[in-house]
Amino acid sequence: MLKAPDHQVAGHQARDGSLGPLVDGSGHFYKPLQNLDRGSKELAFYTSFNSMNGIPPRIRRFFPSFHGSETFQASDGSGLLPHLVLEDLVFGRKNPSIMDVKIGSRTWYPGVSDDYIQKCFTKDMKTTSMSLGFRLSGLQVYGSEESGYWKPSKKAVQSFTVEDVRLALRKFVSSDVGWASDKDTLPDCSLATRIYGGPSGVLAQLIELKEWFEDQTIFHFNSCSVLVLYEKESALRGKTHGAAVKLVDFAHVLDGNGIIDHNFLGGLCSLIKFISGIVAEANKALHGLESSADGLELH
């Protein structure tokens, strides 16, 4: 039985009679094809990407698995509508913490109308897209069974300043969400080295993506998002392999025509810089604690 996803943090949601994606509870995510050719373009991208031989497996893992398309009743009751059949990225994850990051200093692209450019320009100016090269589109952070999730509203996320973004990236890897209602308490970032850091952590995955984008000229990923997700329970047990980075939203992908996608690459580098700073700070704090402990033992 199809239902609205429980852990969607951005985009259109299939609730209250609105059109949005659905899940089937067995690992599939059904995304309705958007209007104005956006849906057909996203379907064309997935079809083309899946058939390409030159995409390394290490890069393919950053993209949701694609299972074609199916037509069935839309979530808003408007009738039959084609849907992309994709991998449900949070399937099987218990209490996932999720962050959707829109990459690029601009979200418009060549060939669109002046009205669309102005709409995107206005939104990019009001958010951190132009200043940072990326913006947060939505996030949820799991604290505990008692505290539940910290999940700021869409309106609140859209108003994030540069410092708000920095703080949210810290909160994303903190041990609890009790600080969410206390503006004077800084998040502890206690999970930063396990989630962001390490050989299989978020930072390592982002750097691997960056290296591909420094060379690839096949596509330009306009208005595409990086999705970051992990399970806190696994992180507390010292496991880092559960942290995942995925690319999503391909309705505005264009041919690269042999040119590097500097818009996406620049935003990705900026996100890496922010997360690198948090990891460096966490490592410094960790080494400081170890030094203090060594000093106590000597006495």
Side-chain angles (χ1 to χ4, degrees), residues 20 22 30-33 68-74 81-85:
L22 300 165
Y30 300 87
K31 183 177 181 179
L33 266 66
S69 62
E70 290 185 22
T71 299
F72 51 83
Q73 190 66 232
L81 187 69
H83 289 66
L84 295 170
V85 185

Side-chain angles (χ1 to χ4, degrees), residues 6 50 230:
D6 293 327
N50 259 34
Y230 75 92

